[in-house]
Amino acid sequence: VVIFFVTYGFAIFGIKLIVEPLQELRAHATDPEDIRRMDSLMPILDGLDKLMFTLVQVLCGDSFHAFVRDIMYYLPMSWLYFYSYVAVACLVLMNLVTAIIVEHAMETSRNDNEQQLQDKISKQRKEVKELKRLFEMMDTDGSGTLNWDEFKESFGEPQMRNKWRLLDFQPDECKELFRLLDDGDGEIETGEFFEGLGKMKGPAQAKDIFRLQKGLDKLQQRVDEAMGHGCS
């Protein structure tokens, strides 16, 4: 559509710039060779539709130099008209192609981001479901909390031990893991279990950070208690 309007505009301009001067020269021509040459040009130039078709031929590079040279014989600067059209039309085409490519790339990027988000949400839901199932298997008395005995037994039972290994926890980490998850009351509640394992799940660095955070929290708690006793 854009190329059509560019071609249409140049055709209107070409009627005034090239066709009408050639028609005037033809009306006053006396040399048979000039008459023959201009008569051969009129079928491809005389009319808006014909000139638009000729411009498209020029844009496609379809053997246009012969008739352009004939026009230049009478209008020496006419080549500027045709090459200006080619330059403008090609610029428009390149911009259109670039816009299409950029739009496609942005659309692909948006789709990828949405897919990654959906995958992340799905993965998180799956992890929560797995942790919930593990907690229910460990909570043998159905109290909704895990004491040390229940927690320790989970590392001894083969099925649950495999689940711990899938979460990247080894049996020798049992005691330390319970201490990290427990807030100090000797039992691990559901929230403590999910939050703690969620933060530690993944690379070893995440576990180290969680250990450091829990250590600082417990140190702060002891300092607060000591200050409280001192004030009393």
Side-chain angles (χ1 to χ4, degrees):
V1 176
V2 178
I3 291 296
F4 171 82
F5 284 109
V6 171
T7 304
Y8 181 77
F10 266 85
I12 294 175
F13 183 55
I15 294 292
K16 294 292 183 181
L17 184 67
I18 294 177
V19 178
E20 290 184 358
L22 282 177
Q23 287 175 336
E24 186 175 349
L25 289 172
R26 170 64 180 81
H28 297 88
T30 56
D31 187 342
E33 180 62 25
D34 288 339
I35 294 174
R36 183 197 64 78
R37 183 178 293 173
M38 284 187 278
D39 283 346
S40 67
L41 292 173
M42 285 304 135
I44 63 174
L45 300 175
D46 189 12
L48 188 62
D49 56 337
K50 295 177 181 178
L51 184 53
M52 287 181 67
F53 183 84
T54 300
L55 287 174
V56 173
Q57 180 182 349
V58 171
L59 180 61
C60 296
D62 184 14
S63 303
F64 65 92
H65 290 95
F67 67 78
V68 170
R69 290 184 184 278
D70 287 340
I71 297 172
M72 288 174 59
Y73 183 82
Y74 303 102
L75 303 171
M77 301 303 292
S78 59
W79 66 272
L80 286 172
Y81 165 77
F82 291 102
Y83 280 92
S84 295
Y85 168 73
V86 172
V88 172
C90 287
L91 180 63
V92 170
L93 279 175
M94 285 191 294
N95 286 337
L96 286 174
V97 171
T98 302
I100 292 172
I101 293 174
V102 171
E103 183 180 359
H104 177 71
M106 292 179 65
E107 182 66 24
T108 301
S109 178
R110 283 195 295 268
N111 292 338
D112 289 343
N113 290 337
E114 290 177 1
Q115 184 62 43
Q116 290 176 2
L117 179 61
Q118 291 299 324
D119 291 344
K120 185 176 181 179
I121 293 174
S122 178
K123 183 179 179 181
Q124 289 176 342
R125 288 176 177 172
K126 184 178 179 181
E127 289 176 353
V128 170
K129 190 175 181 179
E130 290 176 353
L131 291 176
K132 184 178 180 181
R133 186 182 299 114
L134 177 61
F135 186 91
E136 291 173 349
M137 292 173 64
M138 295 170 64
D139 185 19
T140 55
D141 61 3
S143 63
T145 60
L146 299 176
N147 56 38
W148 165 242
D149 291 333
E150 290 174 325
F151 195 85
K152 180 174 62 174
E153 287 176 4
S154 69
F155 279 87
E157 202 276 329
Q159 183 180 0
M160 285 190 284
R161 184 168 62 242
N162 290 335
K163 288 184 176 294
W164 279 118
R165 284 174 175 166
L166 289 175
L167 295 172
D168 201 24
F169 293 106
Q170 302 303 321
D172 57 1
E173 298 177 288
C174 175
K175 189 172 184 180
E176 181 186 13
L177 182 58
F178 183 84
R179 181 175 56 82
L180 291 173
L181 296 176
D182 179 24
D183 62 358
D185 60 0
E187 292 187 334
I188 301 173
E189 297 179 357
T190 308
E192 296 170 344
F193 186 80
F194 288 167
E195 181 182 2
L197 289 183
K199 290 180 179 179
M200 284 190 288
K201 194 173 183 296
Q205 186 180 11
K207 297 180 184 179
D208 296 336
I209 294 174
F210 187 76
R211 285 192 188 98
L212 179 60
Q213 180 182 351
K214 291 295 290 186
L216 291 174
D217 290 343
K218 291 184 177 181
L219 178 60
Q220 181 65 44
Q221 183 178 1
R222 291 173 184 173
V223 170
D224 292 341
E225 291 175 356
M227 292 180 65
H229 291 318
C231 291
S232 60

